[in-house]
Amino acid sequence: MPPGGGAIRVLNVAEKPSVAKSVAEILSRGGMQSRAGRSRYNRVFEFNYAIGAQACHMLVTSVTGHLMELDFDDRYRRWYSCDPAELFHAPVRKAVPQDKQDIKRTLEEEARTCQWLVLWLDCDREGENIAYEVVDICAGANRNLNIWRARFSALIPREIHEAVQHLARPNKLFADAVDARQEIDLRIGASFTRFQTMLLKDAFVLDVSGEERNMVLSYGPCQFPTLGFIVERFWEIQAHEPEEFWTINCSHTSDEGTASFIWIRGHLFDYSSAVVIYEMCVHEPMATVQNVRNQEKLKYPPYPLSTVELQKRASRCCRMSSEHTMKVAEELYQGGFISYPRTETDSFSPNTDLHAIVREQVDHPDWGTYAQRLLNPEERLWRNPSNGGHDDKAHPPIHPTKFSTGENNWSPDHKKVYELVVRHFLACCSQPAVGAETTVEVDIAGEQFNASGRVVLAKNYLDVYRYDSWGGSLLPTYTIGQQFVPTSLTLDSGVTRPPPLLAEADLLSCMDKAGIGTDATMHEHIKKLLDRCYATKDANSRFSPTNLGEALVMGYDEMGYELWKPYLRAMMEADMKSVSVGTKSKAQVLEGCLQQMKACFLDARANKVKLLDAMGTFFARSNRPINETQNTIEVVRPCGACNDSEMLLKRRPNGGFMVGCRGFPQCRNVVWLPGSLAEAAVTQQICPTCIPGPVYKIQFKFNRRDIPPSFDVDHLGCIGGCDDVLKELTEMSRFQHHNQTTMPARSQSQTQTTSTSGVRQGAPRQDLPTGSRSTGQFANQHTPAVNPQGRGQSQTPSGVGVRQGTPRQDLHTVFRTASQFANEQQTPGVNPQGFRSTHTGLTQNSRNASSSGAGQVLCTTCGEACINRTANTEANRGRKFYKCQNPGCGFFVWEDELDNVAPRGRGRGSRGGGRQASASAGRRGGGRGRRGRGNADAEGMTFVSATGDTVHGCCFTCGDPSHFANACPNR
């Protein structure tokens, strides 16, 4: 401590407002002043005090738990912003959230005027971590602060004055251990939670919550092993097959009472054998006493009370949940009635004045008499508490710190918990109960039977600890060699029974033994299972898994991973304890743990079909459309268009696959994959030739019925442009799609509307005759290139079916010239909303029809006169347009563009020497065919509609350049 001198200003920071008030009241002895801080809930108390020889002007304020939150950078916080696997190494930051900025400002303002900072946070790892959050804020405002730590376990004058007169330094290792746990839990929890939710939520009808669309299928490193205990016991019960057994029961009644003898074999599962032995006993029923044992037995009191034991005993004895128990205990602690309720310690320090704690309870109407007996040496009832073997070096066991017969603001549960704490403390300071136990062994026809009885000689601690019982039947007196005929001798049958469901106390025991969670967080993990609808709890506090909880555990179990087992988390907890004692660094633990869990994550994602199969066992498949962003995202390659993001493998709403830029809609670079695909998954293999790299190969699985027999169903391919097999299957898929869109025409002379991609839009039309050209003829034609972004062309080719950079030949593309389309009176699809008039093309015949006939505009589909309307949208307010009177028709055209839609290049196109339009090129984009390479005429081409108009942009819903969003089939 620094030497004495003039008064200094000391900023004291507690963990909660109520603790700050209690500390200030105790140190000031009620002579404090109070003023408001920046936060209305966290006041500042002022008074004078002396720490040693140093005069101090004390300022006491508080935080409300953690001052900072650990989270990912903004880029990674949105669910669909990145591949969940990236969360294992994505940048994280610890910052003060908006709702605690006022507390931060209070600390900064007060710290600037102070010389000392004294931290009154809870004396466990979590409290130490919060203490360093306070240090970061205060030291940032005043680097010259002298930082001290007050260590206390109860809000009572003795503890508080002792703590402030013996200040220490904060423990950075404790804070590092919590930082490691927070980061590990954030990364693992976020990655698996996003993976599970995006994969499963919309794929199945999950009727487990009223807000199904908003539900989250969370995963927690502690939460899931806790669920595993419940599911494992449930499976054990389900797997149990009742088996009938037989046993012989014998009883003997005398003047002193009745003794029930148990067959030493227990029971037999073979009926014939049991009957034979029973008949032998009936034939020779005389019982001979072979042995009589009398011995003294002791029933010891419990160890001092730790947090886990408090939760277990409150569950068994008071029928209170662990979560509610901790809430009530925290309130009792803040009121100064019990010591700090979060402790692993179950042994008292030799320096603790236990008699003084007992002396405070002698006036209580219920257990005061026992407390007096305990302090009376003549009673010989006192016994120093046993050592449970655990000491967290931070807090003593939970014990009473203030006498109370019940406060006005206490609920019945407050009284129950306070009574449990007091009786437990008095019991652990008491002598064990003493009993006399007698065991009698008899022989009947060679079969052995025995009976036991007990009488309690001295109840001792059982007098106050009413939660324990210890009794037994009193046996008649028997002597060795004595013979008697049993009063009854019966052959009884029964069936084996499965073990019971896990009770909350049993579940806490399992978690404690396996090292799952800490004493302060176990109840939170249990509550999370109930909140997430993974488990239910009945009136007897016994847990059963829901279908959802069982399906998730089953899925991971089928994968062969023990993510639901406690071993991984137990190792993590052990590593974090090593950080707290300095044997491992935080960086070492983070690196090792996250590397291991990322490998588990990647394996689980590669085997996600097991998870889907398990869910399908319990839930019906959903008919809801699944957004492509809600599927597992897998990085394929860097984007060569925007050079700022990655290309991701995604499943489209119609079930197909695509590889699109993560920067969508700013970047619309996309690769359409064959429609014959059934499954696709990105591998770790990198293509050695395609650039920019790395380009990861994809494992494809095709539908056998959709590909020729000469192709394999399974194919490891590359979308970078080097894979000829994938190119050919892409083009075959395009042919199939084109032929499947044919529909009856309105008349022989006029076909119906189509888009430039060959995909029907607006009114249906008859597609191109399938027999008019052979595949070989199509292969010899030229294919225009596509820029799916509608931007200037980059210099980087980008995969199969997408034209990026210099235009090139497409793959065996079906096409016709603009003149041919016009001559056949085939009209391309229109944009009903008129967002982009460049995509709205009228044939020459329809244009002539529009300009004739009393100025009317006729619908090119229905032939009826269109109605004229005025747009009222922000972008086109006041602009005139024509639309068909038929509500089911999609015809639409702007009035000021009727003179600008004349076809261009029709004559040249009809002779094959000009630009050519493709009926399917827009669907998959450009590419380089295996049999059409080297055609120089393909270079420099642009994508045009059937009328020869240049087409720009693509659908902003799915990225397909063949249509706009108003006609998107995925809407």
Side-chain angles (χ1 to χ4, degrees):
M1 295 290 268
I8 61 172
R9 292 173 66 86
V10 179
L11 176 59
N12 299 264
V13 183
E15 189 163 324
K16 299 176 182 67
S18 60
V19 177
K21 184 178 180 181
S22 297
V23 169
E25 287 177 340
I26 292 172
L27 294 181
S28 68
R29 293 178 172 84
M32 63 183 182
Q33 294 180 342
S34 174
R35 58 181 171 86
R38 289 285 185 175
S39 170
R40 56 185 291 193
Y41 303 107
N42 305 83
R43 300 186 66 81
V44 181
F45 306 96
E46 295 190 49
F47 54 90
N48 293 321
Y49 187 81
I51 302 179
Q54 177 67 58
C56 302
H57 182 71
M58 307 284 277
L59 293 87
V60 182
T61 187
S62 63
V63 293
T64 51
H66 276 284
L67 183 60
M68 298 181 178
E69 292 180 357
L70 184 71
D71 207 342
F72 297 103
D73 284 352
D74 291 340
R75 176 188 170 188
Y76 299 92
R77 293 181 68 177
R78 291 176 59 248
W79 269 54
Y80 309 115
S81 60
C82 67
D83 181 351
E86 294 184 33
L87 299 179
F88 283 94
H89 52 78
V92 294
R93 57 187 175 87
K94 204 171 187 180
V96 179
Q98 189 62 38
D99 62 339
K100 295 188 177 180
Q101 287 293 328
D102 288 341
I103 300 176
K104 175 186 177 185
R105 282 192 284 270
T106 298
L107 295 178
E108 290 173 336
E109 291 172 1
E110 302 299 337
R112 291 189 185 102
T113 65
C114 294
Q115 289 78 48
W116 285 13
L117 172 65
V118 178
L119 303 161
W120 292 85
L121 289 308
D122 293 343
C123 298
D124 56 4
R125 292 184 200 168
E126 209 73 29
E128 210 73 10
N129 189 263
I130 301 173
Y132 272 90
E133 294 174 359
V134 174
V135 169
D136 287 345
I137 300 300
C138 294
N142 183 354
R143 295 188 178 182
N144 298 318
L145 280 174
N146 196 353
I147 300 170
W148 298 95
R149 184 71 160 93
R151 303 196 181 279
F152 62 102
S153 296
L155 292 172
I156 56 178
R158 182 181 68 252
E159 288 266 358
I160 298 302
H161 285 292
E162 180 76 12
V164 76
Q165 296 299 331
H166 296 84
L167 296 175
R169 298 295 184 184
N171 188 336
K172 188 66 167 65
L173 295 177
F174 276 22
D176 286 346
V178 175
D179 281 339
R181 178 186 57 78
Q182 287 179 343
E183 186 169 342
I184 287 171
D185 289 353
L186 173 66
R187 294 184 183 279
I188 296 175
S191 57
F192 275 94
T193 297
R194 293 186 190 184
F195 163 64
Q196 289 181 171
T197 305
M198 291 190 291
L199 178 67
L200 304 175
K201 187 181 75 171
D202 284 332
F204 298 92
V205 180
L206 305 177
D207 52 348
V208 296
S209 172
E211 298 182 358
E212 182 181 352
R213 299 293 292 181
N214 298 322
M215 73 180 302
V216 174
L217 305 183
S218 66
Y219 177 97
C222 289
Q223 172 191 339
F224 242 61
T226 304
L227 175 62
F229 289 125
I230 298 173
V231 174
E232 193 168 30
R233 173 59 63 86
F234 183 73
W235 284 348
E236 187 179 348
I237 295 171
Q238 284 188 319
H240 176 77
E241 296 183 3
E243 189 173 0
E244 191 173 11
F245 63 82
W246 289 264
T247 186
I248 302 173
N249 290 320
C250 171
S251 67
H252 176 238
T253 302
S254 67
D255 295 339
E256 298 181 49
T258 301
S260 297
F261 291 87
I262 300 172
W263 191 18
I264 201 170
R265 292 180 186 266
H267 52 256
L268 294 179
F269 292 100
D270 185 80
Y271 175 72
S272 301
S273 299
V275 169
V276 170
I277 296 174
Y278 173 68
E279 289 180 347
M280 289 169 53
C281 294
V282 171
H283 185 68
E284 299 179 9
M286 184 63 68
T288 302
V289 178
Q290 291 186 323
N291 192 14
V292 177
R293 293 196 306 270
N294 294 297
Q295 56 184 343
E296 184 180 86
K297 288 287 187 179
L298 300 177
K299 183 175 179 64
Y300 286 91
Y303 292 124
L305 193 60
S306 65
T307 301
V308 175
E309 198 63 29
L310 171 65
Q311 297 175 28
K312 290 160 61 175
R313 292 183 181 266
S315 175
R316 290 194 185 108
C317 307
C318 306
R319 298 294 179 181
M320 293 173 59
S321 69
S322 56
E323 186 265 339
H324 185 55
T325 298
M326 292 306 299
K327 179 178 181 295
V328 172
E330 180 71 24
E331 292 170 356
L332 291 174
Y333 160 70
Q334 293 180 21
F337 295 99
I338 66 173
S339 63
Y340 189 62
R342 293 182 173 87
T343 176
E344 299 176 8
T345 305
D346 54 10
S347 58
F348 282 104
S349 166
N351 299 325
T352 306
D353 190 350
L354 301 176
H355 288 81
I357 302 174
V358 175
R359 198 172 294 117
E360 291 179 344
Q361 301 294 328
V362 295
D363 294 330
H364 199 280
D366 293 334
W367 51 79
T369 302
Y370 185 86
Q372 290 176 336
R373 289 178 55 205
L374 197 58
L375 294 172
N376 187 353
E378 295 180 359
E379 292 282 345
R380 295 186 178 182
L381 188 57
W382 182 273
R383 173 179 174 269
N384 286 330
S386 301
N387 189 333
H390 301 91
D391 188 355
D392 60 13
K393 306 297 183 182
H395 295 286
I398 304 169
H399 61 274
T401 55
K402 187 192 297 185
F403 172 81
S404 178
T405 57
E407 305 300 308
N408 293 332
N409 61 341
W410 281 11
S411 68
D413 288 339
H414 287 79
K415 296 179 181 178
K416 290 179 182 178
V417 173
Y418 181 74
E419 179 180 357
L420 173 61
V421 171
V422 175
R423 288 185 182 273
H424 192 101
F425 172 75
L426 296 176
C428 71
C429 295
S430 304
Q431 291 288 346
V434 181
E437 188 173 276
T438 300
T439 303
V440 179
E441 298 177 359
V442 301
D443 177 276
I444 303 176
E447 292 297 309
Q448 306 299 314
F449 297 81
N450 61 35
S452 296
R454 182 187 304 115
V455 59
V456 178
L457 303 177
K459 295 186 69 174
N460 294 335
Y461 90 93
L462 292 176
D463 283 330
V464 70
Y465 204 64
R466 60 186 183 86
Y467 312 107
D468 276 0
S469 61
W470 195 44
S473 59
L474 184 64
L475 290 179
T477 302
Y478 293 96
T479 59
I480 296 176
Q482 177 183 348
Q483 291 186 328
F484 60 88
V485 176
T487 306
S488 68
L489 193 64
T490 60
L491 178 65
D492 298 323
S493 65
V495 293
T496 56
R497 297 183 180 276
L501 292 168
L502 278 180
E504 186 157 8
D506 301 324
L507 182 57
L508 287 165
S509 295
C510 292
M511 299 172 68
D512 187 31
K513 292 177 182 178
I516 299 300
T518 64
D519 57 293
T521 60
M522 289 182 184
H523 66 281
E524 297 175 358
H525 304 316
I526 295 175
K527 183 176 183 296
K528 184 69 71 175
L529 295 181
L530 301 176
D531 292 342
R532 294 301 189 197
C533 300
Y534 290 169
T536 59
K537 185 168 69 171
D538 60 20
N540 296 319
S541 294
R542 296 190 178 275
F543 290 88
S544 301
T546 62
N547 287 342
L548 179 58
E550 186 179 359
L552 291 174
V553 171
M554 181 186 295
Y556 288 114
D557 186 59
E558 289 293 328
M559 293 178 191
Y561 310 125
E562 295 186 333
L563 295 173
W564 57 280
K565 291 284 191 178
Y567 315 125
L568 286 175
R569 184 60 188 191
M571 288 189 293
M572 294 180 201
E573 295 286 358
D575 283 343
M576 285 177 267
K577 189 170 184 178
S578 298
V579 174
S580 68
V581 298
T583 55
K584 286 187 178 181
S585 69
K586 182 177 79 170
Q588 285 177 313
V589 171
L590 285 174
E591 181 181 2
C593 177
L594 294 178
Q595 184 177 7
Q596 181 184 32
M597 289 306 298
K598 183 176 182 180
C600 290
F601 175 84
L602 295 175
D603 287 344
R605 189 170 65 179
N607 291 274
K608 60 188 177 185
V609 65
K610 302 287 183 65
L611 199 54
L612 292 168
D613 290 344
M615 289 290 291
T617 304
F618 297 92
F619 299 99
R621 290 278 181 171
S622 170
N623 293 324
R624 290 192 300 267
I626 303 175
N627 293 332
E628 63 185 34
T629 54
Q630 288 180 306
N631 288 275
T632 303
I633 299 173
E634 299 175 282
V635 177
V636 179
R637 65 174 302 172
C639 180
C642 65
N643 297 316
D644 188 43
S645 192
E646 300 90 5
M647 300 285 286
L648 310 174
L649 175 65
K650 306 178 184 178
R651 185 183 287 272
R652 303 174 61 197
N654 63 1
F657 287 88
M658 60 178 283
V659 177
C661 181
R662 176 181 284 151
F664 179 85
Q666 287 76 22
C667 178
R668 299 176 180 272
N669 191 9
V670 65
V671 177
W672 304 111
L673 296 175
S676 54
L677 263 181
E679 297 177 17
V682 179
T683 68
Q684 296 300 310
Q685 298 188 40
I686 298 176
C687 178
T689 58
C690 292
I691 56 172
V695 181
Y696 292 96
K697 293 187 177 182
I698 301 176
Q699 184 64 55
F700 297 103
K701 187 177 183 64
F702 297 95
N703 292 313
R704 168 51 69 191
R705 64 179 182 275
D706 295 333
I707 61 174
S710 58
F711 288 86
D712 292 331
V713 171
D714 296 303
H715 174 64
L716 180 64
C718 173
I719 57 96
C722 65
D723 192 332
D724 290 339
V725 172
L726 190 58
K727 293 176 186 177
E728 192 157 351
L729 289 175
T730 300
E731 204 53 44
M732 291 179 181
S733 176
R734 183 176 303 151
F735 290 152
Q736 293 170 356
H737 176 80
H738 175 81
N739 293 332
Q740 289 169 359
T741 58
T742 59
M743 296 188 68
R746 231 176 359 99
S747 65
Q748 296 291 334
S749 62
Q750 185 177 7
T751 59
Q752 300 179 350
T753 307
T754 181
S755 74
T756 57
S757 65
V759 179
R760 182 173 53 85
Q761 293 180 328
R765 71 165 181 85
Q766 187 173 354
D767 208 333
L768 298 176
T770 56
S772 59
R773 299 191 183 191
S774 67
T775 304
Q777 290 174 307
F778 286 131
N780 293 329
Q781 303 297 332
H782 300 306
T783 304
V786 181
N787 183 344
Q789 296 176 305
R791 302 179 179 179
Q793 296 176 353
S794 100
Q795 298 303 314
T796 305
S798 178
V800 178
V802 174
R803 185 57 191 146
Q804 296 289 332
T806 306
R808 64 188 189 192
Q809 265 184 293
D810 201 358
L811 305 174
H812 315 165
T813 308
V814 181
F815 69 93
R816 295 191 180 188
T817 65
S819 176
Q820 287 173 314
F821 273 102
N823 293 336
E824 295 177 10
Q825 296 183 334
Q826 292 176 325
T827 307
V830 296
N831 184 340
Q833 299 177 12
F835 290 145
R836 302 192 185 189
S837 60
T838 56
H839 202 61
T840 304
L842 302 176
T843 63
Q844 184 64 31
N845 291 344
S846 64
R847 171 69 186 91
N848 294 339
S850 299
S851 61
S852 62
Q856 289 184 337
V857 174
L858 303 181
C859 174
T860 59
T861 301
C862 307
E864 302 294 334
C866 293
I867 55 178
N868 187 253
R869 292 286 185 267
T870 302
N872 195 33
T873 61
E874 182 177 352
N876 296 292
R877 186 170 285 111
R879 194 176 178 189
K880 302 287 186 179
F881 63 88
Y882 288 91
K883 62 174 292 185
C884 184
Q885 300 182 62
N886 181 4
C889 180
F891 179 83
F892 175 101
V893 65
W894 293 109
E895 183 181 73
D896 55 7
E897 291 185 352
L898 283 174
D899 295 330
N900 299 326
V901 296
R904 284 171 277 182
R906 292 194 301 114
R908 294 173 60 192
S910 62
R911 293 176 177 83
R915 295 177 178 179
Q916 297 171 324
S918 169
S920 63
R923 186 64 178 171
R924 304 289 181 188
R928 181 166 285 119
R930 296 173 62 185
R931 290 188 287 270
R933 305 182 196 177
N935 289 317
D937 293 343
E939 298 299 322
M941 291 187 177
T942 57
F943 188 62
V944 295
S945 69
T947 60
D949 293 330
T950 303
V951 175
H952 301 285
C954 57
C955 172
F956 63 77
T957 298
C958 68
D960 194 331
S962 66
H963 61 263
F964 288 140
N966 62 288
C968 181
N970 302 326
R971 292 187 64 182

